[in-house]
Amino acid sequence: MEDCIFCQIVAGDIPSRTVYEDEHAFAFLDVNPLAPGHTLVIPKSHHETLGELPDEGSAALAAAVHEVAPAVEAAMDADATTVACNNGEAAGQEVPHVHYHVVPRYEGDGYGPIHALFDGPTDVSDDELDDIADDIGAALD
Ligand code: 5GP
Ligand code: ZN
C-alpha cells in the first residue's frame, strides 16, 4: 500500500535498521524504542489487523516472532521480552499494518506485565464465562 509507512520500509523506500527478513516477514528496530532493542516484526503484505492476515502471512509472522524474540534477548542481554500487538485502532494501534512489538525486559525494570494496562480482573460470572467461551468457539467455526 503506497501510503503505508511499513510497506515503504519493506520496499526500501524508507530506511530502517533491519534485523530479519524472509519471504513473507520482516523485522526492524522501532524508531521510538520503549527500550534499547525494541523491535517490530511485520508481515511483508499489507493487512491492518491479525484477523485480516491470510494464513501464509500469519504463519510467517508467528515464525519470525519465534526467531526474533530470543535473538533480541540474547543481543540485549535481556531477561525476557514483552511481545505485544496493538490489534486495531481501539487497542492503540497507530500504524495500520499489523505488527508485533518485541521489547526487551529486565528483572526489576518495574514496567509490569501487560495486565498493568487494565484496572484488574473484571467480574464475570461462571454462566457468562460459559456463554463467552461458546460464542468465541462458534465464531471460530
Ligand atoms: P503501534 O502504536 O501502531 O502499535 O506502533 C507503531 C510503532 O511504529 C511505534 O512504536 C512507532 O515508534 C513505530 N514507528 C512509526 N513510524 C516508524 C518509522 O518510520 N520507522 C520505524 N522504525 N518505526 C516507526
Ligand atoms: Zn503496509
Side-chain angles (χ1 to χ4, degrees):
M1 223 180 104
E2 274 173 24
D3 56 355
C4 170
I5 296 169
F6 287 178
C7 284
Q8 291 174 60
I9 285 175
V10 169
D13 296 336
I14 292 178
S16 72
R17 293 181 175 85
T18 307
V19 301
Y20 177 87
E21 180 171 10
D22 64 33
E23 192 182 351
H24 297 293
F26 195 87
F28 55 101
L29 295 187
D30 194 296
V31 75
N32 286 310
L34 296 174
H38 180 174
T39 299
L40 300 173
V41 186
I42 69 172
K44 284 186 169 175
S45 61
H46 181 88
H47 299 279
E48 184 164 345
T49 61
L50 283 171
E52 291 164 8
L53 202 52
D55 289 351
E56 191 177 59
S58 176
L61 181 61
V65 170
H66 170 79
E67 296 288 334
V68 168
V72 168
E73 291 176 13
M76 302 312 298
D77 207 14
D79 298 313
T81 39
T82 290
V83 177
C85 172
N86 296 320
N87 191 33
E89 198 175 344
Q93 183 178 3
E94 291 186 353
V95 176
H97 181 131
V98 64
H99 52 279
Y100 278 103
H101 295 261
V102 178
V103 185
R105 297 295 306 272
Y106 300 88
E107 293 293 344
D109 65 17
Y111 294 125
I114 288 176
H115 291 63
L117 288 170
F118 298 85
D119 285 338
T122 301
D123 253 353
V124 185
S125 71
D126 283 348
D127 283 348
E128 286 173 304
L129 287 172
D130 290 342
D131 288 345
I132 290 167
D134 286 347
D135 289 346
I136 295 173
L140 284 163
D141 286 341

